[in-house]
Amino acid sequence: MVKSLPPRSAVNIEETWNLEDLFKNEEDYNAAVEQLESEVASFEEQFKGKITDENAIIAALNGYASILGKMTPIGAYQSLAHSVDQTNDEAQMRSSKYGSTASKLGSQLSFFTSELSEVPSELLENAMNQSEEYKNYLEELIRQKPYKLHPEVEKTLAAFSSVLNAPYGLYNTTKLVDMNFDDFEVDGENYPLSYTTFEGGWESETDTKKRRAAYDAFHAKLREYQHTTAKAYDMHLQKEKTTSDLRGYENVFDYLLFNQEVDRSMYDRQIDLIMKNLAPHMRKYASLLQKVHGLDEMNFSDLKIPLDPNYEPKITIEESKKYIDDALAIMGDDYMNMIDRSYKERWTDFAQNAGKSTGAFCSSPYGVHPYILISWTGSMEDVFVLAHELGHAGHFYNAHQHQNIFNSRPSMYFIEAPSTMNEMLMANHLLSNSNDPKFKRWVISSIVARTYYHNFVTHLLEAAYQRKVYERIDAGGSVNANVLNNLKRGVLEEFWGDDVKINEGAELTWMRQPHYYMGLYPYTYSAGLTISTQVSKRILEEGQPAVEDWLKVLQAGGTKSPAELSKMAGVDITTEQPLLDTIAYIGELIDQLVELTDEIEAAQVN
């Protein structure tokens, strides 16, 4: 049974991450902030108004890289400490103070990119020829030139950055601090409820009465905060639209896709093809769930139940390592050493506690090592989630070893490919271990219900909804809770048709994801999984040569565009074929689930 969450002070320290690898204590952190402020002041004095030739450009880039190298662990430390307990006053104050400090420093440093942008392109190209190390950074700077504002405007915008980013902070405070859930009741017994217990337990609870009661109670609480949350989101959207207009982009989509290095057609194609072609397969999966569980009707609140809950093993943190080691061994010794270190050196925060951020993420500060947040419940889904986040960790572990701080981070479009690749490797490994129909069904259902549902359905439906929101904003409109609810319900009804009842509360799922404060991020999950699905097939067929190609992709970091990185791995994402092939593969998996279920049920009758 799902239990109420303890305070952070009560959790086992071995299940928490070790932030001492960033700073040993608060004194070291504060000293680093002071040193950073001093270095930024010196940098401004040394280079402001003096970036006039190739040598000055390279010297300034060296100084700027040094500053970023010091700023990164500071930002990571305060952010990570806050993320595990947003009710902690000290962490709140540290985070708020750093936000102000970062705004001030950003304002001081804004002259650097402004002055570089005003340097003739010929000088920038000469600097590239002198220093290959900064070639990618300067090429990107030239690409951004048409959208740069007057240096004083850039300085002012940087100074206001913490204010302009406040809507995201307000969203998290509302969600994780102010929103307290009451227990819900089923047959005279009370059960605890929170964001973490709902998403990590009740949402997939196999007792239909409890699951649906938890769903109703959870969404009733969300509804109480819908107007505040919608207002925060509208402020964020208006900021993006205003920024897009000020910088001279044709529309807000072009602004948000610019740094992803993809065009509007690739964005639209991902959403349109999945909405049209994947929906029939997922409706078949929903009907299978309804049949197996004997449900009177298939509600939206029933979509996360496992196909075979009796076959679901409970997995400890220690046991998860063997699953992951066995599945990812093909990635080679260096990669496996990284995974081994992640367990031994406490890179991962597994604990469940009140105030902790929901979901999972990987933070990879340059010059240190990755940090992973997850709330461990002991399900196979947790193993897939951990493998996913270790995919992010392995990506930046490799990129940081081979690229400088400017070149290590790839386009957001590609960011989910390495993470979902690990999920595919996990699934392929499990499938190769047994021919038992129940085991095979369990593994395939884990792939469909976790890997593909999460990335190709949950996040894709977020993207389809998000596109409608931005179309409204781009036309000069605004949003409130009623508008957002109607848009979200419309997308869900379009995808699920008559096969799933979109019961009350489903329209509020826009309140649950922080992704909407991160630009056009949700659609990239399906884009990344499209790439990783095709590359995982290559690995199954070709073995080590395909692995070597993939490792080179990880090591390339952000030195190439998403299309170029994909081509290195043997996938052409400039066409629709990889996406169509992946959708067809999902359909094949669901067909296998139907066939295996028929086989299992026939055997039980006999």
Side-chain angles (χ1 to χ4, degrees), residues 111-183:
F111 81 88
F112 175 64
T113 52
S114 292
E115 290 190 20
L116 276 184
S117 295
E118 294 180 340
V119 169
S121 296
E122 182 182 353
L123 272 183
L124 295 177
E125 289 167 2
N126 289 342
M128 287 184 222
N129 293 331
Q130 286 189 30
S131 178
E132 181 71 21
E133 186 177 6
Y134 300 127
K135 182 174 185 292
N136 285 291
Y137 179 83
L138 293 173
E139 283 179 342
E140 182 61 20
L141 193 79
I142 292 171
R143 197 169 75 92
Q144 291 177 356
K145 267 192 170 195
Y147 306 107
K148 281 290 182 181
L149 301 174
H150 186 279
E152 287 303 312
V153 177
E154 295 288 357
K155 182 177 181 179
T156 302
L157 287 174
F160 275 105
S161 62
S162 64
V163 176
L164 295 174
N165 292 328
Y168 181 42
L170 177 58
Y171 166 79
N172 275 322
T173 300
T174 303
K175 174 181 175 180
L176 298 170
V177 180
D178 283 345
M179 199 179 293
N180 292 313
F181 294 82
D182 296 326
D183 292 353

Side-chain angles (χ1 to χ4, degrees), residues 400-569:
H400 291 348
Q401 285 182 320
H402 292 83
Q403 306 297 336
N404 65 31
I405 197 167
F406 294 123
N407 295 345
S408 64
R409 190 169 187 83
S411 156
M412 186 186 289
Y413 184 93
F414 196 84
I415 211 77
E416 295 297 337
S419 54
T420 53
M421 166 61 81
N422 277 13
E423 293 190 58
M424 296 307 301
L425 293 177
M426 173 68 68
N428 291 339
H429 167 71
L430 291 173
L431 280 174
S432 69
N433 272 349
S434 175
N435 288 318
D436 175 68
K438 293 200 74 173
F439 182 83
K440 286 186 70 174
R441 185 175 71 163
W442 170 67
V443 173
I444 294 172
S445 65
S446 295
I447 303 168
V448 172
R450 158 60 211 171
T451 301
Y452 285 110
Y453 189 100
H454 188 67
N455 299 294
F456 258 75
V457 179
T458 298
H459 292 319
L460 193 280
L461 294 181
E462 290 172 10
Y465 150 83
Q466 188 183 44
R467 183 170 62 175
K468 291 180 182 294
V469 170
Y470 278 116
E471 286 171 348
R472 185 182 178 93
I473 296 299
D474 210 44
S478 59
V479 297
N480 62 19
N482 290 331
V483 168
L484 296 174
N485 289 343
N486 288 333
L487 290 176
K488 186 64 178 181
R489 175 172 286 277
V491 167
L492 294 174
E493 289 175 343
E494 178 186 352
F495 187 83
W496 292 110
D498 295 331
D499 294 84
V500 177
K501 178 184 177 182
I502 307 302
N503 48 315
E504 187 176 349
E507 73 280 1
L508 295 169
T509 53
W510 63 266
M511 295 178 65
R512 292 170 56 182
Q513 285 290 359
H515 294 152
Y516 302 126
Y517 294 85
M518 303 172 188
L520 298 178
Y521 184 24
Y523 90 103
T524 66
Y525 280 86
S526 61
L529 185 51
T530 298
I531 296 165
S532 61
T533 297
Q534 300 308 313
V535 177
S536 68
K537 288 182 179 179
R538 269 199 70 204
I539 290 175
L540 276 178
E541 294 167 4
E542 302 173 27
Q544 203 58 39
V547 173
E548 292 301 321
D549 285 346
W550 186 243
L551 288 171
K552 289 174 184 175
V553 169
L554 302 185
Q555 293 161 8
T559 59
K560 298 181 183 297
S561 71
E564 290 170 329
L565 290 170
S566 301
K567 188 175 181 180
M568 286 174 65

Side-chain angles (χ1 to χ4, degrees), residues 18 38 45-46 77 96 122 144 172 199 294 330 348 359 363 372 413 425 445 454 457 576 600:
N18 178 20
S38 174
E45 182 179 354
Q46 182 179 357
Y77 182 81
S96 179
E122 182 182 353
Q144 291 177 356
N172 275 322
E199 294 186 341
I330 193 170
T348 303
S363 173
I372 292 169
Y413 184 93
L425 293 177
S445 65
H454 188 67
V457 179
E576 65 181 22
I600 291 165

Side-chain angles (χ1 to χ4, degrees), residues 9 29 36 51 64 73 83 116 152 158-159 230 234 254 271 294 322 335 345 368 373 381 406 484-485 545 587 598 603:
S9 58
Y29 167 79
L36 175 64
I51 305 176
Y64 192 60
S83 69
L116 276 184
E152 287 303 312
D234 187 55
D254 288 350
I271 297 172
K322 177 167 174 49
Y335 199 96
E345 299 174 15
V368 194
L373 179 142
E381 179 170 346
F406 294 123
L484 296 174
N485 289 343
D598 290 342

